[in-house]
Amino acid sequence: MIKQTKLYNIHKALGAKIVEFAGFSMPIQYNSIIAEHKAVRESAGLFDVSHMGEIFVRGNNALKFIQNITINDASKLLPGKIQYSAMCLPDGGIVDDLLVYMIEESEYMIVVNASNKDKDFDWMKKNNQSAAEITDCSDEYSLLALQGPQSKTILQKICNRELNLEYYNFFMAKVADEEVLVSRTGYTGELGYELYFKGNEATAEKIWNTLMKAGKDEGLVPAGLAARDSLRLEMGFSLYGNDIDNTTNPIEAGLGWITKLNKPSFIGKEALQQFKSKGTSRKLSGIITKEKCFPRKGYAVTCNGKKIGEVTSGTVSPVLEEPIALAYVESQYSEIGTKVNFLIREKEIPATICKYPFIKK
Amino acid sequence: MNIPANLKYTKDHEWLLIEGNIGTIGITDFAQGELGDIVYLDVDKNLQTIAAGETFGTIEAVKTVSDLYAPVDGKVLEINEGLNDEPQVINTDPYGKGWIVKVEITNASQINELMTAEEYKNQIGQ
């Protein structure tokens, strides 16, 4: 049974293209992907990302549990703060990347990828030696992402609290007179907020419609998952299932910054220590070219006639109007400036290893 | 959905405008809608001939890549260079500025194999 978010009827009414994603009927685009992408960079876009999973961890051992199952140091969190983290297998492979929200000392919300939610929940229950209380509340929550330079101005019009939130902080507030967890996070690289709330279709539609109305003068547009994907790729943010999965580890994926090896112990620590000290055979690398082409997932990356890597995400950047890609490349070729090729329909297209984010924010 | 009555259509969503022995080829309004934002057209600038049912290039949209199929055999007269800088005109004007290639039709009998507007309309379920 394919699930629908509580905003499904709104998407239909807006004429969105709907596709199945992670078991949900989701709006992939409303009009033009590129126009939605640019609207988020220049004014603001509103995304329904209610398919994401919300798993609550409660009890006196909540922190102990999270410290064991995630690779970042959750003891650094304070109530109202958020941390980007991941869960790993004992061999260092990534179970999922996620956000940890500290609500209070004995209550955390973990936000996971929709496609991994059931697997994550099982993994958590299986590794719950500290007997924390773990509850999957995903079906209760809707999640809207309001992203773009105008997002603060728009949200402030219908929010009862001053939006003085720093990046990766959250608070409870009334938005459109409804109780909402307002989080200064996003997946686009822009100023933006993610709004978590409970309630039925009527509540969700009220919040969506109130936001759209509030953002009319600022040029707020509904934006779909396709624009979300190209926006995150311009920032070089990893997407689970493309750039990271259970066969890739955080060190080679460029997520060393969330891997806190000084933490006493956590699942995957020994393996990650090895990767860190010995180095990995490949690295997730940015690749750009000025040639006209469209690098896509699965395309080979070559150098001197031999395959040295594979594209995990690629697009033509709507901002740069040039092709960009993330690819796992053998470490010896991963230095910035290395000349490589995309292999597209048996043709080698010259390209260069580069730093990412691909755009300056 | 715009399906001009004066054109012939392939099952792969190309259209063919016939003027004497000259054929102009593009992709249909339905096809551009399904592909979404078109960002790049890959047709060899030295393309000499096309053959009915064979690919003569690819079209890159944000979502996916799609092959272009020739409706008839032909000798290439002109490739729409305007698409190099503005491939998105295929989205906005698929039967006009979005034309892709112009050919001299070398086997006119193949035209009978193509669909009429009415038949194409049925195929796409409109």
Side-chain angles (χ1 to χ4, degrees), chain A residues 17 32-34 292 296 345, chain B residues 33 37 40 60-61 64 84:
Chain A
K17 253 182 209 165
S32 150
I33 299 170
I34 294 171
K292 284 202 166 176
R296 295 182 194 274
R345 293 183 284 281
Chain B
D37 306 64
Y40 171 51
E60 297 271 12
T64 187
N84 290 339

Side-chain angles (χ1 to χ4, degrees), chain B residues 30-80:
Chain B
F30 175 79
Q32 72 75 20
E34 288 297 300
L35 285 171
D37 306 64
I38 291 162
V39 287
Y40 171 51
L41 202 74
D42 190 1
V43 177
D44 184 350
K45 62 177 191 296
N46 298 316
L47 185 72
Q48 300 289 323
T49 59
I50 59 170
E54 305 281 317
T55 66
F56 65 92
T58 54
I59 193 159
E60 297 271 12
V62 175
K63 268 187 300 186
T64 187
V65 57
S66 179
D67 283 325
L68 292 163
Y69 292 91
V72 288
D73 293 355
K75 215 159 81 186
V76 176
L77 301 175
E78 194 182 349
I79 297 169
N80 184 356

